[in-house]
Amino acid sequence: MGKTVLIVEDEKNIVDILRFNLEREGYRTLDAYDGDTGLQLALEHDPDLILLDLMLPKKNGFDVCRAIRTAGRATPIIMLTAREEESDKVLGLDLGADDYITKPFSMRELLARVKANIRRSDMTPVPAPAAGTKIGRGRIVIDTGLLIAYKDGIALDLTQREYELLRFLVSNPDRVFSRESLMEHVWNYESYVGDVRAVDVAIRRLREKVEDDPPSPRFIVTRRGQGYFFHA
Ligand code: CA
């Protein structure tokens, strides 16, 4: 059965082109032109993925996203933002969105992200009840059976994506990964070219939880112009 994508966007021409392209790829679509209706459809129909515009009438994308998570729904959400809306403040907010894409976007890139996020959500493993293999050494240790990361023996409160990012970096210590390559390995995008802000957002959130002093990271380090690495 086709997967269902809910489009929440107040610009009708964008909704039309998204619907056309998604349906051509075999998805079913639902659409909403304001935040209230979007939230209502998200909760009633439990779609497989939500494309959520940020600036919406009645209820903005932030509030819709938060309300969906508060309702306990883990539906993958891709936030659509306009370039002029970008700011560190916006990106630093813990919205619970899985990904961000900037308008104007290429349809090919958007379809690749929709596919990757639905696939990832389908593959989400059920945590094993028993403790498993531990990776990492020193202060950061990850139990890959329990899917829990520890710092100094205390479990970190990570989102699934933050956990996956940390696990990937810790599994490959002292190796630098470009943001594109992290998009491929952690976000499951194939041959990734395009917007890599989702990586920066996730790295920033992760540092706030992992580092002693987030502005001066010691574990998750930036190699300027090249990418990020885990300093073992
Ligand atoms: Ca809008």
Side-chain angles (χ1 to χ4, degrees):
M1 198 174 79
K3 300 286 184 182
T4 303
V5 177
L6 169 61
I7 306 163
V8 188
E9 163 67 77
D10 59 326
E11 289 172 64
K12 188 172 184 307
N13 58 331
I14 296 182
V15 175
D16 289 346
I17 195 163
L18 283 170
R19 187 198 299 113
F20 175 81
N21 281 277
L22 286 164
E23 290 184 350
R24 198 174 56 177
E25 294 289 315
Y27 297 102
R28 291 185 301 161
T29 61
L30 295 165
D31 47 56
Y33 297 86
D34 65 74
D36 279 347
T37 311
L39 177 58
Q40 192 189 336
L41 290 179
L43 298 179
E44 274 174 17
H45 294 268
D46 201 14
D48 295 287
L49 182 133
I50 302 169
L51 293 171
L52 181 59
D53 184 29
L54 180 56
M55 302 306 283
L56 288 165
K58 294 188 183 172
K59 197 184 236 80
N60 70 35
F62 292 146
D63 294 338
V64 173
C65 190
R66 199 175 294 119
I68 289 169
R69 294 297 182 243
T70 303
R73 304 295 175 87
T75 319
I77 296 175
I78 301 179
M79 204 70 124
L80 306 174
T81 63
R83 205 164 283 280
E84 63 267 27
E85 293 159 0
E86 284 183 33
S87 74
D88 281 357
K89 186 165 171 286
V90 166
L91 296 178
L93 293 171
D94 190 5
L95 303 173
D98 295 272
D99 202 357
Y100 303 83
I101 196 160
T102 307
K103 292 188 272 189
F105 47 81
S106 93
M107 192 51 68
R108 188 162 160 268
E109 181 182 338
L110 182 125
L111 291 170
R113 287 175 174 229
V114 167
K115 190 175 160 197
N117 276 284
I118 288 180
R119 188 177 56 210
R120 177 178 163 277
S121 138
D122 280 349
M123 292 189 317
T124 301
V126 177
T133 314
K134 291 196 169 58
I135 58 168
R137 59 202 136 98
R139 301 177 58 196
I140 306 288
V141 173
I142 297 175
D143 186 318
T144 57
L146 290 177
L147 308 179
I148 296 174
Y150 299 88
K151 177 186 177 188
D152 300 332
I154 296 166
L156 295 166
D157 182 19
L158 303 180
T159 65
Q160 192 182 338
R161 181 85 73 188
E162 289 161 357
Y163 169 81
E164 287 168 10
L165 178 59
L166 183 63
R167 186 189 59 179
F168 180 75
L169 291 171
V170 170
S171 305
N172 300 278
D174 295 320
R175 212 176 124 194
V176 179
F177 293 94
S178 68
R179 297 187 294 173
E180 288 78 8
S181 128
L182 290 172
M183 282 301 250
E184 289 177 23
H185 287 106
V186 181
W187 275 254
N188 293 323
Y189 296 134
E190 289 160 24
S191 306
Y192 191 76
V193 180
D195 192 342
V196 288
R197 272 186 317 154
V199 174
D200 296 330
V201 173
I203 290 274
R204 181 160 45 225
R205 304 286 322 164
L206 192 53
R207 279 175 172 161
E208 281 169 21
K209 297 177 180 180
V210 168
E211 300 287 347
D212 298 327
D213 179 21
S216 311
R218 296 184 48 215
F219 298 113
I220 301 161
V221 183
T222 304
R223 174 75 50 83
R224 196 167 291 279
Q226 293 183 39
Y228 300 104
F229 68 97
F230 181 75
H231 181 62

